[in-house]
Amino acid sequence: DYMVKILFFTHSNKLSGGERSLFDIIRWFNRSMDVSLITPGEGRLSEVIEREGISVYKIPPSPVFNIRRERMGIRDFVNAGELGRIAGFISSIIHREGFNVLYTNSQKAHVIGALVKLRTTHVKLIWHFRDILEGKARLLMNALSFIPDTIISISKAVDRQFLRKTKVVYNAISLPDRIKPVKLPGKFKIGYVGQIARWKGQMNFIRVMEGFKDDGVVGYILGGAIFEEQDYLELLEKTIIEKGLEKKIKILGWRDNVYDYFSGFDLLIHMPEKLEPFGRVIVEAMALGIPVIAHDIGAIKEVVGDAGILVNFKDYDAVRYHVKQLLTDMAFYETLREKGLKRYREVFRIERLIKEVKGIIEG
């Protein structure tokens, strides 16, 4: 009787979007399969996984995990020389504990996973791919992409960067059973949600909010600088003060009970600087019955469908126009709310994701 035993591997022990999606998958599979996680050092992700009673193996810290994603060419990795050591460490755990699936969730984990697969050929390697890459990083991942047994792409936009076929499986979310909306000041509250990072485009939100004067519209930036983007956070704070927007935009920072704050918003705006591989916050907004305005870049159109408002890249005037439209036209607002809820229920429920991924693991 073949027992599936899965070792999940991510190089980041923080709890941003990709890791939250991984957490949902591990937690669901823990009900019916033998699952463990391997990740470097201590962090929020291993904390929440261990709280679920799931084993976590810790990889000793390594400079490999600090190579910036954009810089990940073949040479950077050869020089790091550490890769073989880490791959050997993981291979020995796979042999000792009898894992038959290695499931990688982040780019450096995919690279190391490919090396593990070359040493440990019996293990089924699945890449869950969550990034849209450019330049040498894209070349590297395409070169290695023929090693995994299956690649799961989180959107068609992610799939398009590969030369080989991947399986498109959209992310999903499961809302907590209890959400207690936090009452925030403002007549019409607009949220901008996600880790504070240049590519996430919080500065675009500040540009949009400049156009609202004394109309009860208040903007909230929800999220923390979890990947060494402290200088960008300081720049945002400085810009808000310089433009005299302290009453119009509040930075809420990182919150554990993110949905309690999120559910207090009347609208979500999402305007990332780079190609968006998925846009988890858009799905969260739809699930909470919050309309979405986003600019059309990367996977956003396939995620939003007809359930939100899309504008051209950085078209601040169009965003402001639609905010005012939603402020005054309650029927339109309600239609968008309903469409979002319907789209979430039909496309982005966690049960659908689990079923699709389970089929890939067992297939």
Side-chain angles (χ1 to χ4, degrees):
D1 189 26
Y2 180 77
M3 170 75 178
V4 177
K5 197 167 178 185
I6 311 169
L7 182 61
F8 289 91
F9 172 30
T10 180
H11 84 273
S12 166
N13 203 338
K14 297 181 164 74
L15 204 52
S16 69
E19 288 72 43
R20 284 166 63 203
S21 291
L22 178 68
F23 173 60
D24 287 338
I25 292 171
I26 296 177
R27 195 169 49 174
W28 273 76
F29 278 155
N30 189 42
R31 299 171 180 187
S32 59
M33 292 180 181
D34 190 336
V35 298
S36 301
L37 172 72
I38 187 161
T39 188
E42 302 298 326
R44 290 277 304 135
L45 177 65
S46 53
E47 261 172 49
V48 294
I49 293 280
E50 282 174 329
R51 214 176 291 153
E52 296 283 326
I54 297 165
S55 313
V56 177
Y57 298 92
K58 307 280 169 68
I59 302 175
S62 161
V64 165
F65 299 122
N66 303 328
I67 297 173
R68 286 193 75 82
R69 186 164 72 196
E70 311 69 60
R71 282 200 53 246
M72 272 182 47
I74 292 167
R75 245 201 9 254
D76 306 289
F77 268 123
V78 173
N79 293 349
E82 282 276 285
L83 285 180
R85 189 183 65 78
I86 298 166
F89 180 77
I90 296 171
S91 295
S92 67
I93 289 172
I94 287 172
H95 283 295
R96 191 178 74 228
E97 305 295 338
F99 289 104
N100 41 32
V101 177
L102 178 62
Y103 192 114
T104 58
N105 193 68
S106 61
Q107 208 186 317
K108 288 157 206 163
H110 302 324
V111 172
I112 295 164
L115 293 182
V116 172
K117 172 75 177 174
L118 294 175
R119 295 170 169 235
T120 317
T121 47
H122 76 275
V123 81
K124 182 174 192 171
L125 175 62
I126 298 170
W127 283 4
H128 202 139
F129 216 89
R130 302 179 179 279
D131 300 302
I132 296 176
L133 305 173
E134 287 152 12
K136 58 184 186 175
R138 180 183 284 202
L139 286 173
L140 171 71
M141 298 319 283
N142 262 302
L144 296 175
S145 70
F146 294 91
I147 299 173
D149 296 271
T150 307
I151 299 175
I152 298 172
S153 292
I154 59 171
S155 64
K156 291 176 188 145
V158 168
D159 166 73
R160 278 194 289 273
Q161 71 194 319
F162 284 106
L163 299 171
R164 70 166 275 187
K165 238 169 80 69
T166 80
K167 293 203 161 105
V168 175
V169 177
Y170 287 132
N171 281 338
I173 61 158
S174 61
L175 293 174
D177 297 329
R178 285 182 58 224
I179 295 174
K180 300 205 313 234
V182 173
K183 280 204 79 62
L184 297 161
K187 189 178 79 171
F188 192 79
K189 300 171 282 291
I190 306 176
Y192 202 97
V193 183
Q195 51 166 303
I196 303 260
R198 278 174 176 76
W199 85 269
K200 288 286 187 187
Q202 283 88 357
M203 197 59 86
N204 290 327
F205 183 51
I206 293 176
R207 295 285 298 278
V208 167
M209 290 303 297
E210 276 183 274
F212 296 105
K213 293 294 172 262
D214 304 311
D215 37 25
V217 176
V218 183
Y220 290 93
I221 295 175
L222 178 58
I226 53 179
F227 289 107
E228 283 75 58
E229 294 258 8
Q230 202 55 42
D231 60 328
Y232 183 57
L233 173 58
E234 284 161 19
L235 178 65
L236 295 172
E237 290 168 338
K238 191 170 137 229
T239 307
I240 289 168
I241 291 164
E242 279 171 6
K243 291 181 183 291
L245 295 169
E246 301 96 321
K247 287 196 166 65
K248 293 295 296 171
I249 306 174
K250 315 273 184 218
I251 297 180
L252 296 170
W254 163 263
R255 304 284 166 157
D256 266 344
N257 54 339
V258 63
Y259 291 121
D260 294 351
Y261 284 85
F262 205 148
S263 59
F265 301 145
D266 299 302
L267 174 68
L268 176 82
I269 288 178
H270 189 58
M271 300 181 78
E273 287 288 336
K274 284 161 92 176
L275 295 175
E276 173 60 82
F278 183 76
R280 182 184 164 96
V281 294
I282 293 171
V283 175
E284 290 173 324
M286 292 196 280
L288 292 165
I290 298 166
V292 176
I293 300 175
H295 62 198
D296 183 4
I297 183 172
I300 290 176
K301 186 181 276 180
E302 24 169 339
V303 172
V304 170
D306 69 345
I309 297 169
L310 292 182
V311 302
N312 290 329
F313 186 60
K314 294 203 184 197
D315 189 341
Y316 305 125
D317 288 336
V319 175
R320 285 191 282 263
Y321 167 80
H322 288 297
V323 170
K324 286 168 184 159
Q325 186 187 9
L326 288 168
L327 262 168
T328 51
D329 186 343
M330 277 319 289
F332 178 54
Y333 182 92
E334 206 42 50
T335 303
L336 272 189
R337 226 178 78 76
E338 286 300 326
K339 279 183 167 178
L341 282 164
K342 182 170 182 279
R343 185 153 174 79
Y344 161 68
R345 286 195 285 260
E346 288 175 1
V347 185
F348 299 113
R349 291 179 64 91
I350 191 81
E351 292 81 359
R352 186 264 322 151
L353 169 73
I354 297 304
K355 191 175 154 207
E356 288 184 39
V357 172
K358 193 166 187 279
I360 290 167
I361 288 171
E362 292 174 345

